[in-house]
Amino acid sequence: MKRIDLYKQKLKAAKAELPMRQRQYNSAVRHLNKTVATIYELEKKIDHLAKH
């Protein structure tokens, strides 16, 4: 097998994998943002309660 054929196969596989990895990335970003927002809200509530 020629090197160019190998590279073409690898490129095809990488392009097929891209949408799956993009979904995983988007999901991870959503979960991270949700966790950061939860931490912020809890810290805000704790600060509010500590002042009273």
Side-chain angles (χ1 to χ4, degrees):
M1 176 180 288
K2 293 184 180 179
R3 190 173 299 216
I4 191 166
D5 293 333
L6 177 65
Y7 290 157
K8 285 180 180 181
Q9 285 180 343
K10 286 186 176 187
L11 178 60
K12 185 177 179 181
K15 284 183 176 182
E17 186 179 348
L18 184 60
M20 179 179 59
R21 297 296 177 207
Q22 188 68 45
R23 284 192 300 273
Q24 289 176 337
Y25 170 79
N26 291 339
S27 178
V29 168
R30 282 193 302 271
H31 288 294
L32 176 66
N33 289 340
K34 189 173 181 180
T35 302
V36 169
T38 301
I39 290 170
Y40 174 76
E41 287 296 320
L42 291 172
E43 287 177 340
K44 192 166 77 170
K45 288 179 182 181
I46 289 170
D47 287 342
H48 179 71
L49 289 175
K51 291 179 181 176
H52 287 86

